[in-house]
């Protein structure tokens, strides 16, 4: 007779999360993230069950978190846990027969109905006796449980007095330490917790060659350098950004160099695209001579660190025709029948100044070289890499590279710039990328934003962290082109508050909105020319969003709820252009022990004034429905009394959004 292995367990535990769509890879979080752990736990019949999350930290500390039921009838259970230690955590869920809960449920019904009254009291007393027999329970608790058992058996007192013991607060001791039997454990699982910067940060992108660049009397340009670019860091720090992302800083090729606005006819002073990497002076491990030396770059990194800023460096695996790789490793590129090398294309776009790397003929050689390049920059103080177009390279390459780098230095972060199909974008995150660009740039309506933000905060949050960049050198959306300053304000507000990581490309704060005809990118694109900006003059003349960006980053730093990805909840408004969402963090997870709740109300129509009623789900922000409370606008300081339904007026031309903090609620 064949014996079948029984896998279900006496109290089945199934569908545990966090989990990935493919169990070859493990879920991940970042230090300080509050992660919801869920499981389906059930049993036959009508007796009550319970569920316990068992977490083991990388240092070996074991935590038990009692799970709570979610929607009635679903058998889904949840416990939220703050993962505060970097490294690999182990966890499982234990399901058990919750005899205390079953007794309390049955006793309440039967005693109130006058059925089996004494029997129910005796059953409860015997459960207390069993708990007292567990010597590992605190002595004081055991003495109180002994007294409770005696009270249940005391026929000299009224039924009503003994019935009250069924609801005694003392029985709450069984929440954290249940009287459990018939236990079943789920399989052991892992979750990788990475450093906090892997999930939380405010990014600012600028071209160092433009900072301090100046046109000479003869019409030629003198490039900015790392030394002049370092002066811009103070302004970036003043706006509260903590990551500065630099496009490629390497030598730029001359062959097929692009001119202004991506033309094929460059002038003698056109600097070329930084992404056309490689020249006689070096390749991916060198710095452009116009920017300075490697020592100058290290000084730039140190200056940024002194201001609380990390440097993110572009990693673009492609080569100019002049790159040393082309001569030394011709098999790294695709040779065409006419003897030429295939250049990069993304029809209808053509990149005649770039050769894409072909990973088929010498994958091992390419891997070793790229690993060497990354380690080289790590030695210079870089811990963040923004990877250009990773979706055009093999997934296996990235999985191997990121694993090798993080084995040496788990603090290194890779951001995937992959505006591509969901399958590839998500797979890149699963195999190791700590952050991902996303479709946020093109999600502008209320419905689009609700669907997108729900997806990234719920559906893919176990493995993909979105970086909500509002613009890039390549992307200037119609919303920004035609929405005026209100559009810039709204997009920054949503990006900074809806997810823990966001970013802007230099010029955003100056409302740069003129596109190259027929393209979704800025005219006079900085990719192909020097573009010095007078930020101080713009601020003085009121043509800058810099002050507001600083306010946004200050709000982010002050409110821990905004440092979480998975806690966004949407609320209703009676206007299709008024987006409403909240970020709530329970006091047990905040530094001061108080609940932190931020409510954002944004008019996503940058051309109008909107008046509407906002309907809040108060339970989602930790309040009892019907409870009045006070909110403070964190930008203006104005305060209002709010409740379930609230009138708002948002003028796109003056104040298109509210960022509100709940200042009076259940804790007051």
């Amino acid at each position: 007779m064949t014996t079948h292995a029984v896998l279900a367990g006496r109290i089945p535990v199934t569908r545990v999360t966090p989990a990935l769509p493919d169990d070859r890879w493990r879920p991940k979080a970042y230090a300080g993230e509050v992660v919801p752990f869920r499981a389906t736990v059930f049993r036959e019949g009508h007796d009550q069950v319970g569920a316990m999350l068992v977490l083991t930290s990388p240092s070996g500390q074991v935590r038990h978190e009692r799970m709570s039921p979610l929607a009635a009838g679903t058998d889904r259970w949840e416990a939220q846990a703050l993962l505060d230690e970097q490294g690999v955590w182990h966890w499982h869920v234990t399901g058990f027969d919750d005899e205390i809960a079953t007794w309390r449920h049955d006793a309440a019904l039967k005693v109130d109905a006058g059925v089996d009254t004494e029997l129910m009291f005796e059953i409860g007393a015997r459960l207390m006796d069993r708990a007292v027999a567990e010597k590992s329970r605190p002595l004081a608790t055991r003495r109180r449980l002994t007294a409770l058992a005696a009270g249940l058996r005391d026929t000299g007192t009224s039924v009503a007095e003994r019935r009250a013991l069924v609801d005694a607060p003392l029985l709450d001791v069984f929440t954290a330490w249940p009287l459990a039997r018939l236990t079943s454990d789920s399989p052991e699982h892992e979750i990788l917790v990475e450093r906090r910067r892997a999930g939380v940060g405010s990014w600012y992108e600028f071209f160092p060659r433009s900072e301090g660049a100046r046109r000479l009397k003869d019409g030629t340009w003198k490039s900015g350098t790392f030394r002049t670019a370092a002066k811009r860091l103070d302004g970036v720090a003043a706006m509260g950004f903590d990551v500065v992302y630099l496009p490629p800083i390497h030598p730029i090729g001359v062959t097929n160099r692009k001119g202004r606005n991506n033309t094929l006819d460059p002038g003698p002073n056109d600097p070329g695209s930084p992404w056309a990497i490689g020249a006689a002076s070096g390749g991916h491990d060198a710095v452009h001579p116009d920017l300075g030396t490697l020592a100058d770059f290290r000084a730039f990194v140190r200056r940024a660190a002194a201001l609380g800023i990390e440097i993110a460096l572009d990693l673009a695996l492609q080569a100019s025709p002049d790159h040393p790789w082309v001569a030394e490793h011709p098999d790294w590129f695709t040779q065409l029948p006419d003897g030429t090398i295939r250049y990069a294309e993304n029809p209808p776009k053509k990149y005649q100044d770039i050769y894409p790397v072909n990973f088929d003929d010498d994958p091992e050689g390419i891997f070793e070289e790229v690993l060497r390049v990354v380690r080289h920059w790590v030695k210079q103080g870089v811990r963040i890499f923004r990877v250009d177009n990773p979706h055009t390279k093999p997934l296996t390459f990235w999985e191997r590279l990121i694993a090798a780098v993080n084995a040496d230095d788990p603090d290194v972060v890779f951001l995937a710039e992959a505006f591509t199909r969901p399958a590839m974008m998500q797979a890149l995150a699963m195999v190791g990328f700590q952050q991902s660009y996303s479709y946020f740039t093109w999600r502008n309506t209320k419905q689009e934003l609700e669907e997108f933000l729900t997806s990234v905060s719920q559906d893919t949050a176990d493995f993909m962290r979105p970086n909500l960049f509002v613009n890039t050198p390549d992307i200037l959306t119609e919303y920004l082109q035609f929405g005026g300053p209100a559009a810039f304000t709204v997009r920054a507000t949503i990006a900074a508050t809806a997810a823990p990581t966001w970013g802007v490309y230099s010029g955003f704060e100056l409302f740069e909105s003129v596109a190259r005809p027929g393209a979704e990118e800025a005219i006079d694109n900085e990719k192909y020319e020097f573009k010095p900006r007078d930020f101080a003059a713009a601020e003085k003349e009121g043509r800058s969003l810099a002050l507001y960006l600083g306010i946004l980053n200050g709000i982010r730093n002050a409110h821990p709820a905004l440092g979480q990805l998975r806690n966004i909840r949407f609320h209703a408004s009676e206007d299709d252009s008024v987006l409403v969402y909240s970020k709530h963090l329970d006091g047990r997870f905040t530094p001061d022990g108080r609940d932190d709740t931020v409510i954002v109300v944004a008019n996503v129509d940058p051309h109008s004034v909107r008046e509407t009623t906002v309907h809040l789900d108060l339970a989602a922000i930790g309040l009892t429905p019907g409870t009045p409370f006070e909110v403070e606008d964190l930008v203006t300081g104005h305060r209002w009394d709010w409740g379930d339904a609230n009138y708002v007026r948002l003028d796109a031309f003056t104040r298109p959004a509210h960022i509100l903090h709940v200042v009076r609620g259940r804790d007051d």
Side-chain angles (χ1 to χ4, degrees), residues 207-210 221-229 246-254 257 268-298 313 320 322 376-377 527-530:
F207 287 61
R209 72 184 184 188
S210 289
W221 279 91
K222 181 175 177 56
S223 172
T225 67
F226 290 127
R227 291 174 182 265
T228 59
L246 304 182
I249 59 173
H250 317 299
I252 298 172
V254 176
R257 175 174 286 191
N269 299 315
D270 287 335
S273 168
W275 282 271
I277 299 170
S281 53
H284 283 72
D285 56 356
V287 297
H288 197 298
D290 288 353
L291 295 176
T293 65
L294 197 59
D296 292 330
F297 175 75
R298 289 194 294 267
L313 193 62
S320 134
D322 307 316
H376 165 75
W377 291 110
K527 286 175 62 175
Y528 310 107
E529 62 182 89
F530 298 105

Side-chain angles (χ1 to χ4, degrees), residues 554-564 585 596-598 634 659-662:
I555 291 171
R556 285 166 50 86
N557 292 335
H559 290 277
L562 298 180
Q564 300 293 323
L585 190 61
D596 184 43
T597 305
V598 176
L634 294 173
I659 306 175
L660 307 172
H661 178 228
V662 176

Side-chain angles (χ1 to χ4, degrees), residues 23 30 62 83 182 193 242 307 338 347 359 385 412 419 428 463 484 532 546 552 576 603 660:
D23 60 10
Y30 53 87
V62 179
L83 304 185
L182 303 179
V193 175
D242 44 38
L307 295 169
D338 63 1
F359 288 78
F385 294 90
V412 177
F419 296 115
L428 288 165
F463 58 94
L552 287 177
D576 287 340
N603 174 9
L660 307 172

Side-chain angles (χ1 to χ4, degrees), residues 306-326:
L307 295 169
I309 295 172
E310 287 195 59
I311 297 301
L313 193 62
D314 198 284
L315 179 63
L317 300 188
Q318 59 212 27
S320 134
D322 307 316
H323 197 296
W325 287 350
V326 177

